[in-house]
Amino acid sequence: QVQLVESGGGLVQAGESLRLSCAASGSIFSINAMGWYRQAPGKQRELVATSPNVGGTNYADSVKGRFTISRDNAKNTVYLQMNDLRPEDTAVYYCFASSRRSVWSPVVSSWGQGTQVTVSS
């Protein structure tokens, strides 16, 4: 079982920045991808950014140029630097990780509990 613990959410004004962190622990042999989704009230959960283990990053069009995802593989931690925040970025942000607990195990996905980000205008 893998546990993901998020931190860094909060209330900011438009144009300000926040940095989210998510640390994975538990039965981890290797982590493939880590990343972030978000869900605003009344909306479906949407992809924000992902960081595959093989390198490269993917971003939702709405956050390109403003958000940056990074990983510290030694710490099994993923970060999301969010700059120039807008009211439409208000949502609960969820961390995810796809991992194996052994070389023979299937890849499983795990989710954090979510952290609230609120951007006021």
Side-chain angles (χ1 to χ4, degrees), residues 10-70:
L11 171 63
V12 297
Q13 293 187 333
E16 295 184 341
S17 300
L18 280 174
R19 189 190 194 210
L20 305 182
S21 300
C22 172
S25 62
S27 302
I28 299 172
F29 170 74
S30 64
I31 295 180
N32 293 359
M34 297 187 80
W36 297 90
Y37 279 71
R38 68 186 181 186
Q39 187 166 20
K43 295 188 177 181
Q44 290 187 329
R45 190 174 296 191
E46 63 174 1
L47 174 71
V48 177
T50 61
S51 175
N53 196 37
V54 294
T57 55
N58 301 294
Y59 295 95
D61 288 343
S62 59
V63 307
K64 283 181 181 177
R66 300 187 297 122
F67 291 12
T68 303
I69 188 171
S70 60

Side-chain angles (χ1 to χ4, degrees), residues 93-115:
Y93 284 69
Y94 296 92
C95 170
F96 80 90
S98 56
S99 63
R100 299 176 185 269
R101 65 176 184 178
S102 76
V103 66
W104 303 280
S105 300
V107 175
V108 296
S109 294
S110 303
W111 293 88
Q113 78 285 357
T115 185

